[in-house]
Amino acid sequence: AQSVTQPDIHITVSEGASLELRCNYSYGATPYLFWYVQSPGQGLQLLLKYFSGDTLVQGIKGFEAEFKRSQSSFNLRKPSVHWSDAAEYFCAVGGRTGGFKTIFGAGTRLFVKA
Amino acid sequence: GAVVSQHPSWVICKSGTSVKIECRSLDFQATTMFWYRQFPKQSLMLMATSNEGSKATYEQGVEKDKFLINHASLTLSTLTVTSAHPEDSSFYICSARSLAWAGDTEAFFGQGTRLTVV
């Protein structure tokens, strides 16, 4: 069965500091992996996605993620956080085997302090 | 990317009434649509998958008689919350995908519908 674990419910970082959000997945075949961001009361915005190929994926807003099959992980990183990055971040997994349905992790709330 | 639109963006209804939420694909044929529910400060939970012209497949624990899904055309799926109660108040989000797309194309999400039952 598909599942996603985001072990950190919330994280606080200082503006300008680096960020890493953790994500581990369980999927029976080649996974498609995603990171979405959601601001309060808003819909989802896709930050980046991995389907195949280069395991280091670049996304929007300066985010990147690295797929590590051996660790079943897809951690999200950003070298320098801006106050506007404060939001909820969701890691998600899907794929052909699951009929392309996307399963979300519990989310990590990012707080940015000045 | 492809555009998915939900209507309404927000709705308030009285307890015991039914409310319908529409999910439209504006520039592609959505052979598959997914419906999610998100309670405050929680994640998105998949409720059901609908394929055009077929009955929806509901996830475990989702009452199919309460959450009626219709996907009668390639551009429209509807979710009807029947006999709504305050505990049904939530953010409902749809996503859509086309069977014609290559495997490495994600489903696209609508902007969501905030339902409040009073």
Side-chain angles (χ1 to χ4, degrees), chain B residues 10-77:
Chain B
W10 59 269
V11 58
I12 301 173
C13 71
K14 291 186 177 180
S15 187
T17 63
S18 295
V19 61
K20 181 183 289 187
I21 301 169
E22 294 184 346
C23 178
R24 292 183 184 274
S25 57
L26 300 187
D27 53 3
F28 68 99
Q29 293 186 328
T31 43
T32 306
M33 286 187 171
F34 306 93
W35 286 95
Y36 295 81
R37 179 171 53 184
Q38 184 181 30
F39 291 113
K41 299 188 188 302
Q42 294 190 25
S43 185
L44 284 79
M45 300 302 296
L46 180 65
M47 300 174 67
T49 302
S50 73
N51 293 299
E52 185 266 337
S54 303
K55 287 186 178 180
T57 302
Y58 290 81
E59 296 296 306
Q60 193 171 6
V62 177
E63 301 173 61
K64 57 184 176 183
D65 294 331
K66 180 168 187 61
F67 299 100
L68 301 179
I69 293 172
N70 184 286
H71 191 171
S73 82
L74 285 170
T75 59
L76 174 65
S77 175

Side-chain angles (χ1 to χ4, degrees), chain A residues 32 34 36 38 40-44 46 49 51-52 88 90 96 98-107, chain B residues 32 34 36 38 41-44 46 49 59 91 93 95 97 102-107 109-112 114:
Chain A
Y32 296 161
F34 311 90
Y36 289 88
Q38 185 181 39
Q42 303 297 313
L44 297 174
L46 179 66
K49 57 190 176 184
F51 290 107
S52 64
E88 188 85 24
F90 294 100
R96 190 182 298 275
F100 295 105
K101 57 184 177 183
T102 308
I103 302 302
F104 288 80
Chain B
T32 306
F34 306 93
Y36 295 81
Q38 184 181 30
K41 299 188 188 302
Q42 294 190 25
S43 185
L44 284 79
L46 180 65
T49 302
E59 296 296 306
F91 194 53
I93 307 176
S95 68
R97 196 179 182 285
D104 59 349
T105 305
E106 70 275 19
F109 284 82
Q111 75 274 29
R114 173 83 52 198

